[in-house]
Amino acid sequence: METCFARITGGMEMSDRYCQGARVDVSSVSTSMATDPLAEEILRDDLRFYFMSPCEKYKTRRQLPWKLAVQILKIFMITLQLILFGLNNQLVVSYKEENLMAFKSLFLKGYSGVDEDDYSIAVYTKQSVYDSLHYVIDQYSQLGNLSVGPVSYAEENEMFLPLIICKKSYKKGSVEPSKEAYDIDAELETVCLSLDPESTKTWRIYNASFFELDFYRLVDVEITFALKGINLQTVRSHELPDCYTFFVKILFDNSCHSGKVKLTLDFDAVSSVCRNWKISGTAQKSTHYLLIFDGFVIVVCLISAVLCTRSIILAVRLLQRFSSFCLENYNQKVCEDDQREFLNGWYILVIISDVLAIIGSILKMEIQAKSLTNYDVCSIFLGTSTLMVWVGVIRYLGYFEKYNVLILTMRAALPKVLRFCCCAGMIYLGYTFCGWIVLGPYHEKFEGLSRVAECLFSLVNGDDMFPTFAEFEQKNTMVWLFSRAYLYSFISLFIYMVLSLFIALITDAYETIKGYQTTGFPMTELQRFLMGQKEGFPLQGQEGVGTECGEAESIHPSVMLCCCKRVPKDDTIILIS
């Protein structure tokens, strides 16, 4: 923080100014070379024009607001592009989810339509395991007669891809729970069996020995196979249907050896261009129109990025001119706060959003051309770019005094809020680790670190409080009592104290901004220079008359670019010590 001192020595008044660790004597200013009034006025006019709003620039020099027009056009186009992609992505997501549900109903015996936990279904007897295993193979062998959807066996080189069954077990094992004795070789061995759709009808005869399972050694059984499908519902959206390959994996998990074998079914869906297709209507033309539209979006984003990059370059050059002018004429450096006024963060935000939008548009074009199938990556780029574009609109609302309260409040409160969050975060992490290690075995919401953090965050916001208390079982009295003390202390501390202080910081910043809007915002040295103020400051060669930074002095306007004149910010409050 800048400091400024004034002292009187031997009857002579001399001002020693310190700004950002650099000492500047005012007497050196009086001996500096004279300022060219014309050059100073030209520089002041250029600075004024740079900090004007688009409307003011148009009124002053009739300069059309190209960046503003491009941003408005880009907002409309990127939002429309996101909506179109979202509707298409929604069809793909629903197709995959419904196929997953269909496969679970087809291949898992006794599946009720609802997953039990992180698995689909569980079995508890040896006969149930055999029945479920045989059920998968039987259903696979007669898939063509069962499925109502356009799904069939996957082929490669005109050959059906086989169904592969792999059982993983300990190499050697002997367990006698009654005698508390066991003999286990920790090394695992895997044995696999391959069956094509035709041989699955006779697998019981030739491979009966493979399906004899030693459950005390068995770790898991994994069944994998590939199926082909076509998503025909995209025809209604005037788009070409996609062909999908489903790599299905069914796992019989016995790794816990607890008497519960968990069955899970999942697949990886890979889309591709259908080899032989014929369609009538407007689907092909619609695809071409979408590709043209995406190309136009890329062009608009490139123009926006170029214009913003040009503005940043001009700002850097203007800052160099301004710094050279102050250094050569007044032997004074520009403060860091004033230097940051030239580096417009909104331009950087716009450039980042443009880059993300261009990458997302290219990925979207690849998806529409069936050369790419990763919808998630494209969604991240398009969604993030759209978010940044709409956030960037706040920049133009900031030119209106009544609409920039949010951004001014965020800017004023952000430093204090970040420091406060660092302190409160330490307490939050402590409660997270403590809850995980102590309450994890007794409550499902505390089983993992991420789940504990999510549960505590919900409690801070007043969600799901009573179920969190009620779900603790009183099997262990000590842990139950600890859980009560843990939850009551956390809720009391964070809701009544931490959250209240957090809101108070933002409210204080808002009240400060609200007061400034009534009485006027404090002026920086750069703003004073732009206004050409000379009142209250000593001119060159004139003795200083002030003794404190806040007192009125008459100094040349270019000399007061130093931040010493600024009132220190009230940001030294220690909230948690």
Side-chain angles (χ1 to χ4, degrees), residues 439 474 476-488:
L439 306 179
Q474 299 188 25
N476 190 319
T477 304
M478 184 176 61
V479 175
W480 184 85
L481 292 175
F482 178 87
S483 68
R484 264 44 192 173
Y486 173 86
L487 291 175
Y488 279 123

Side-chain angles (χ1 to χ4, degrees), residues 156-446:
E156 184 176 350
N157 299 326
E158 298 183 354
M159 297 289 293
F160 287 120
L161 294 178
L163 178 145
I164 301 175
I165 307 174
C166 293
K167 58 179 183 180
K168 185 186 300 182
S169 57
Y170 294 114
K171 205 166 189 180
K172 181 181 66 173
S174 176
V175 179
E176 297 183 20
S178 60
K179 298 180 180 181
E180 298 182 354
Y182 63 87
D183 181 12
I184 294 293
D185 186 350
E187 185 178 354
L188 298 177
E189 63 177 3
T190 303
V191 182
C192 295
L193 174 66
S194 178
L195 301 173
D196 57 47
E198 296 180 354
S199 64
T200 52
K201 300 177 182 179
T202 59
W203 64 268
R204 295 177 185 270
I205 302 175
Y206 300 104
N207 303 285
S209 60
F210 178 83
F211 294 95
E212 294 179 358
L213 304 177
D214 296 328
F215 287 95
Y216 62 90
R217 294 194 303 120
L218 180 67
V219 176
D220 61 56
V221 177
E222 183 178 288
I223 303 176
T224 57
F225 53 89
L227 301 175
K228 287 282 189 177
I230 301 177
N231 185 10
L232 296 176
Q233 65 175 336
T234 56
V235 175
R236 293 177 300 170
S237 303
H238 305 291
E239 293 187 15
L240 295 178
D242 295 327
C243 288
Y244 283 85
T245 302
F246 300 102
F247 297 96
V248 184
K249 181 176 72 172
I250 302 175
L251 182 67
F252 292 70
D253 186 7
N254 189 44
S255 58
C256 192
H257 289 87
S258 61
K260 178 180 180 179
V261 179
K262 296 178 286 187
L263 278 67
T264 58
L265 186 149
D266 199 2
F267 65 73
D268 292 328
V270 179
S271 64
S272 59
V273 182
C274 297
R275 298 178 183 177
N276 300 318
W277 58 271
K278 181 179 180 181
I279 188 171
S280 301
T282 59
Q284 182 67 12
K285 294 181 180 179
S286 177
T287 302
H288 289 165
Y289 292 149
L290 289 175
L291 291 175
I292 294 173
F293 176 76
D294 292 334
F296 192 47
V297 171
I298 293 176
V299 173
V300 173
C301 291
L302 284 174
I303 295 174
S304 173
V306 170
L307 290 176
C308 292
T309 304
R310 173 180 173 271
S311 297
I312 293 177
I313 295 175
L314 293 177
V316 172
R317 292 178 179 176
L318 187 60
L319 175 59
Q320 292 175 349
R321 285 178 54 196
F322 186 51
S323 301
S324 300
F325 176 84
C326 298
L327 190 62
E328 293 176 1
N329 293 277
Y330 304 104
N331 194 26
Q332 183 68 49
K333 292 183 178 181
V334 180
C335 287
E336 292 183 0
D337 289 346
D338 286 334
Q339 292 179 10
R340 283 193 289 267
E341 295 293 331
F342 291 86
L343 302 178
N344 197 326
W346 294 110
Y347 290 150
I348 299 176
L349 179 69
V350 171
I351 292 175
I352 294 175
S353 67
D354 291 334
V355 173
L356 295 177
I358 292 172
I359 297 175
S361 299
I362 294 175
L363 295 177
K364 182 174 179 291
M365 296 174 69
E366 292 291 331
I367 291 175
Q368 291 174 348
K370 313 305 178 187
S371 301
L372 190 67
T373 61
N374 198 331
Y375 280 79
D376 295 334
V377 176
C378 182
S379 300
I380 292 174
F381 280 104
L382 291 181
T384 307
S385 65
T386 306
L387 170 64
M388 291 184 175
V389 166
W390 279 100
V391 171
V393 177
I394 301 178
R395 171 177 179 259
Y396 299 101
L397 295 178
Y399 292 121
F400 303 96
E401 182 179 354
K402 301 298 182 181
Y403 294 92
N404 63 349
V405 177
L406 175 62
I407 190 65
L408 292 178
T409 304
M410 291 175 59
R411 181 186 299 177
L414 185 61
K416 296 180 182 179
V417 168
L418 290 179
R419 287 192 290 270
F420 177 78
C421 289
C422 289
C423 297
M426 301 300 104
I427 304 176
Y428 190 86
L429 286 176
Y431 271 94
T432 300
F433 287 111
C434 178
W436 171 60
I437 194 64
V438 178
L439 306 179
Y442 301 93
H443 201 294
E444 62 178 4
K445 295 182 180 179
F446 293 84

